[in-house]
Amino acid sequence: MKSPLLITSLVAVFAVGYFAGTRDPLHISKGHSRGTTEFPEGAGSDRATTLAESSGGTSGLDGAPAGGLEEQMAELMEELKGKAPYGYYMDQLGTGRLLLQAESILARAEKEEVLGLLADWDMDSTIPLLPGVVFQRLAQFSPEEAAAVWLDMQKSGAKVGGVDGIIREWLKEDPEALEAWVDSITDVKARAAAGQALILPLADVDPQKTMARLEDIDDANQKRHLGTLVASAIGAKTAVEELPAVADEFLRKKDGGWEHQNQLQGVISSWAARDLDGAIDWLTSQEPGALKDHIASNSLNQEINKDPQAFAERLSGKLEEGSPFAKLGGQLFRQWIQDPDEIDNALAWFQENGKYLEAGQPYYNYRTNSIGEEDVIPMLEKISDLPDYPVKANVMKGLLWQLQQNHPEKTLEFAIENLPAGGENDSSIANMINNWAQKSTDPAEAIQWAMDNMNPGDSREMAVRFGISAWARTDPEGAMDHVMQLPEAERRDALWGIAHEWPKKDGEGALRFIREAKDAEQISRFTNSAFYEFVSVRGGVRTLEAAMKMPQGKKRQDAVEGTIRGWAYKDAGAAAGALEKIEKGFLRDTAIGAFSSTVTRTDPRAGFAWALQIENENQRRRRALSAGRNWLSSDRKNAREWIESSQSVPADIREELLKAKK
């Protein structure tokens, strides 16, 4: 769970309007000084209008609630609670407005009123934003007293935020005293909270000192995140001529959260905004493999949008095998070709540099903001004439992904003709079929298009399965009726697609279909896979009960096998216990075989041992040999010793397993 202090800081940074410009986040009126109640010009200073004494009206900010201090703050707190936890980010303007109201209310409160508010406030029930405003107001009178109150509340066990407000105010008055207070805190949790809240405000004053303080943060993710922000401040404030040495120092650090080079990325990003050529030269000078793949692309991506052609000229001569700019160059090309007036320049640049470029992001994350639908196909036709480098396929699929949202047939025709069959291309075409079926009022059109326009084989089977899966999310029975009319190869694959969706959409309907189906063999794959999915929906116990109620024979066998496979994957211990309750015989052997094949992937020894519990000799031999070979391939020494010494391993199975390799 994220610290309330971090959430407070993040929202304070990102809230729009009030938090913008030169004003400090949550800064309470600059006219205030400790112990007095002064107001900005025009705000009025008559004590008779102090909000704590007001019985009506507003706070001086349009829309603020009326009433006394505690009543008004309680109303605002309820509104902020209504936004928790994600509403802070989804409605930043609204959150900022409420915090402005809180500031306005508190700006007219005296110290005793703020202390009274804190004394009566059930901090356990509050949200993480408001305490920072309250404690910052108290810190304007005396940061030392505000800090003492906060520590007392911490010691009482209350889940109290607000130290960030104290730190913001105290840092302006006496940074050294603030740091001394943080270092003097003996309570481990309180010191961690205060130390973490100090990082970002201090970075704006002394980023080098702040970097050293990061070592006091135990949480690796927080240290890495805050370290990146502090590093950005270092890149923004350090003299440009000193930045190469700073980057060298950051690159040398390998431990304690530095191995991912996020902090280096922060420095380079700020450096590039000030001296792009200098940042590029430093990146170019590094030994191959010294930099993580994301450094150049993430650090310099913001510079691409300013002028793609100028940036391309900067990269001229710097793209080669092992270049740190490979992904960045791919991003540049994707961005550059979106300008119809620049596409020919971008294509010419690709001819020269395309072999050194990398995609950098999946095609389905590709976004086109300035290309009209009528321009996409002509653009694709030009791109299709380029050499077949990896970025070419990525860009084409990205453009097709956008086009197919509204023109699926036109897009698929181009994709089939121009994308080589196999691998990711097959997946992208299947995803287009899926999207078409999902959006269409007649999903059968998408399925039929795949059947009519794609050659038989794995690609067509995948496309049909994806389309059927989309159909089954809204109408599983209709999708099943259609599937039963498909050729055997496509039907077999599509049954799995329906099985993945139907138990979630209409579990009882799926069970009824299985019970009433006349041909158990024809729906075997569906039954097995549906019961596998039922474990996630209903849990293992209920699913096994339902499986045992299926008609005897093939349907019950498939249902039990699917259940045990799904249960063993979720909770192998519980599934093993369930095996003991199944009556010995063919059904239990089937269940043990399913359990063995599933757990073998993560625990080869257990998979092999369970295979030996199968009573049917032929089935036991087949499953034990499979599990035993898997164990030998992953841990030959221990597997061989156990197989040689265990009395539970039949002689013929032992001999077969050990004869291959000595």
Side-chain angles (χ1 to χ4, degrees):
M1 180 177 179
K2 291 186 181 296
S3 164
L5 296 169
L6 179 59
I7 297 175
T8 303
S9 299
L10 289 173
V11 176
V13 170
F14 289 115
V16 181
Y18 164 61
F19 303 100
T22 59
R23 194 171 186 186
D24 294 332
L26 296 180
H27 174 74
I28 300 179
S29 303
K30 293 183 182 292
H32 283 91
S33 61
R34 294 181 195 160
T36 64
T37 308
E38 299 175 1
F39 297 90
E41 183 179 352
S45 58
D46 186 351
R47 191 72 186 109
T49 62
T50 298
L51 288 169
E53 299 174 354
S54 173
S55 60
T58 66
S59 68
L61 180 72
D62 289 344
L69 175 65
E70 293 187 20
E71 180 183 354
Q72 294 176 71
M73 293 299 289
E75 287 185 36
L76 288 176
M77 189 165 66
E78 287 302 315
E79 285 198 64
L80 284 166
K81 280 183 184 179
K83 296 180 179 298
Y86 303 113
Y88 307 134
Y89 309 104
M90 302 301 290
D91 182 18
Q92 294 169 5
L93 283 172
T95 299
R97 175 183 60 79
L98 293 173
L99 293 178
L100 270 171
Q101 291 181 11
E103 176 188 341
S104 180
I105 293 167
L106 288 163
R108 304 186 180 200
E110 297 291 354
K111 181 174 72 171
E112 291 73 18
E113 293 175 300
V114 180
L115 287 170
L117 176 66
L118 290 170
D120 296 335
W121 198 354
D122 179 10
M123 299 295 282
D124 280 334
S125 67
T126 191
I127 40 76
L129 295 173
L130 216 48
V133 186
V134 178
F135 273 103
Q136 185 165 355
R137 176 59 179 137
L138 185 59
Q140 289 183 333
F141 297 108
S142 169
E144 295 88 350
E145 186 172 356
V149 171
W150 180 80
L151 277 176
D152 285 343
M153 297 179 79
Q154 283 280 340
K155 292 174 183 177
S156 72
K159 298 176 182 178
V160 53
V163 70
D164 55 314
I166 299 170
I167 285 171
R168 282 194 299 272
E169 192 63 33
W170 204 346
L171 189 65
K172 292 183 290 186
E173 300 288 339
D174 192 344
E176 291 186 4
L178 168 62
E179 290 191 76
W181 172 72
V182 172
D183 292 338
S184 72
I185 300 174
T186 56
D187 181 83
V188 175
K189 290 184 178 179
R191 177 167 177 159
Q196 184 171 300
L198 176 62
I199 293 296
L200 293 183
L202 184 62
D204 198 45
V205 177
D206 190 340
Q208 293 286 0
K209 181 188 288 187
T210 309
M211 188 59 73
R213 282 195 166 273
L214 285 170
E215 299 307 315
D216 295 333
I217 297 178
D218 293 328
D219 186 291
N221 290 329
Q222 294 287 12
K223 182 184 293 187
R224 188 162 55 247
H225 168 72
L226 292 173
T228 302
L229 298 177
V230 174
S232 296
I234 291 175
K237 291 180 174 292
T238 303
V240 169
E241 61 270 17
E242 297 176 12
L243 284 172
V246 172
D248 288 340
E249 179 186 355
F250 277 38
L251 182 59
R252 284 194 293 270
K253 293 178 179 289
K254 305 294 183 184
D255 302 319
W258 289 79
E259 62 274 13
H260 302 290
Q261 299 183 349
N262 292 39
Q263 299 89 339
L264 176 61
Q265 177 186 316
V267 169
I268 301 296
S269 295
S270 295
W271 184 2
R274 302 169 64 197
D275 176 22
L276 180 56
D277 289 329
I280 290 176
D281 288 343
W282 184 87
L283 291 167
T284 305
S285 69
Q286 304 311 306
E287 293 292 327
L291 299 171
K292 299 292 185 183
D293 289 344
H294 64 84
I295 295 298
S297 57
N298 290 356
S299 300
L300 305 183
N301 185 45
Q302 58 187 343
E303 303 300 323
I304 292 175
N305 298 329
K306 297 177 181 178
D307 189 340
Q309 183 170 5
F311 196 91
E313 292 172 359
R314 279 189 164 94
L315 289 186
S316 295
K318 294 180 172 64
L319 286 165
E320 55 187 20
E321 288 295 335
S323 167
F325 304 112
K327 289 184 179 179
L328 184 68
Q331 292 170 225
L332 168 63
F333 179 63
R334 286 195 302 271
Q335 180 67 25
W336 198 357
I337 62 168
Q338 292 192 45
D339 184 348
D341 297 330
E342 285 291 324
I343 185 170
D344 290 334
N345 291 331
L347 294 173
W349 184 82
F350 185 91
Q351 290 279 5
E352 182 179 348
N353 298 284
K355 62 182 177 181
Y356 303 122
L357 307 182
E358 294 181 11
Q361 63 176 317
Y363 69 89
Y364 44 77
N365 286 341
Y366 190 73
R367 294 293 180 266
T368 57
N369 300 319
S370 58
I371 305 174
E373 297 288 355
E374 69 281 358
D375 297 323
V376 174
I377 290 297
M379 179 182 294
L380 285 167
E381 289 172 346
K382 288 185 176 182
I383 296 173
S384 66
D385 293 332
L386 292 173
D388 289 328
Y389 301 132
V391 168
K392 170 188 169 182
N394 178 268
V395 170
M396 288 182 65
K397 285 183 286 189
L399 290 169
L400 288 167
W401 183 250
Q402 293 298 300
L403 182 64
Q404 60 94 31
Q405 306 292 326
N406 298 311
H407 304 283
E409 288 188 62
K410 187 177 184 181
T411 307
L412 283 162
E413 288 169 4
F414 187 92
I416 291 291
E417 183 177 343
N418 292 277
L419 293 181
E424 191 178 277
N425 290 339
D426 287 353
S427 295
S428 65
I429 291 172
N431 275 316
M432 293 177 196
I433 294 290
N434 177 287
N435 190 65
W436 184 1
Q438 187 172 326
K439 291 187 172 184
S440 176
T441 56
D442 184 6
E445 288 182 346
I447 313 302
Q448 193 58 47
W449 188 95
M451 294 298 298
D452 292 342
N453 294 275
M454 301 180 71
N455 293 325
D458 293 344
S459 300
R460 188 169 81 177
E461 291 166 22
M462 181 192 299
V464 170
R465 185 179 80 242
F466 276 39
I468 288 294
S469 293
W471 191 350
R473 290 184 203 120
T474 56
D475 180 16
E477 291 188 65
M480 180 62 82
D481 289 342
H482 191 85
V483 164
M484 300 310 288
Q485 310 303 317
L486 293 173
E488 199 273 334
E490 283 75 18
R491 182 176 67 246
R492 184 184 62 247
D493 222 32
L495 284 171
W496 181 87
I498 300 180
H500 184 67
E501 301 295 339
W502 203 344
K504 294 180 285 188
K505 173 70 176 175
D506 176 17
E508 290 303 319
L511 292 174
R512 183 171 57 253
F513 171 81
I514 295 171
R515 284 194 299 267
E516 296 176 356
K518 296 180 179 179
D519 190 339
E521 190 66 46
Q522 189 181 43
I523 65 162
S524 175
R525 188 168 190 180
F526 172 78
T527 305
N528 198 309
S529 299
F531 273 87
Y532 181 98
E533 295 294 333
F534 268 125
V535 174
S536 296
V537 177
R538 299 185 169 196
V541 173
R542 286 185 62 200
T543 303
L544 185 58
E545 289 174 354
M548 296 300 291
K549 293 178 181 177
M550 283 290 127
Q552 285 189 349
K554 180 64 174 171
K555 289 182 181 178
R556 187 179 297 180
Q557 176 190 343
D558 288 332
V560 169
E561 183 176 0
T563 299
I564 296 300
R565 283 194 308 111
W567 202 353
Y569 179 78
K570 292 282 186 183
D571 185 348
L579 292 175
E580 302 294 344
K581 300 176 183 178
I582 300 177
E583 185 178 348
K584 289 186 177 182
F586 179 75
L587 193 60
R588 186 171 187 268
D589 282 352
T590 298
I592 292 175
F595 181 86
S596 170
S597 64
T598 303
V599 300
T600 291
R601 302 165 193 167
T602 55
D603 188 346
R605 182 186 180 282
F608 180 65
W610 272 99
L612 297 175
Q613 303 301 310
I614 296 173
E615 290 192 335
N616 181 274
E617 184 176 350
N618 291 334
Q619 193 176 349
R620 179 177 65 244
R621 177 179 173 81
R622 183 171 59 253
R623 177 87 281 281
L625 288 175
S626 176
R629 286 167 182 148
N630 181 74
W631 188 12
L632 285 164
S633 67
S634 63
D635 184 9
R636 185 162 193 82
K637 182 177 180 296
N638 289 323
R640 187 177 185 86
E641 289 178 359
W642 195 88
I643 292 169
E644 285 179 335
S645 61
S646 176
Q647 297 300 311
S648 62
V649 182
D652 62 322
I653 294 177
R654 179 186 297 112
E655 180 181 357
E656 182 69 23
L657 287 172
L658 299 181
K659 73 178 182 180
K661 295 181 180 179
K662 298 295 184 182

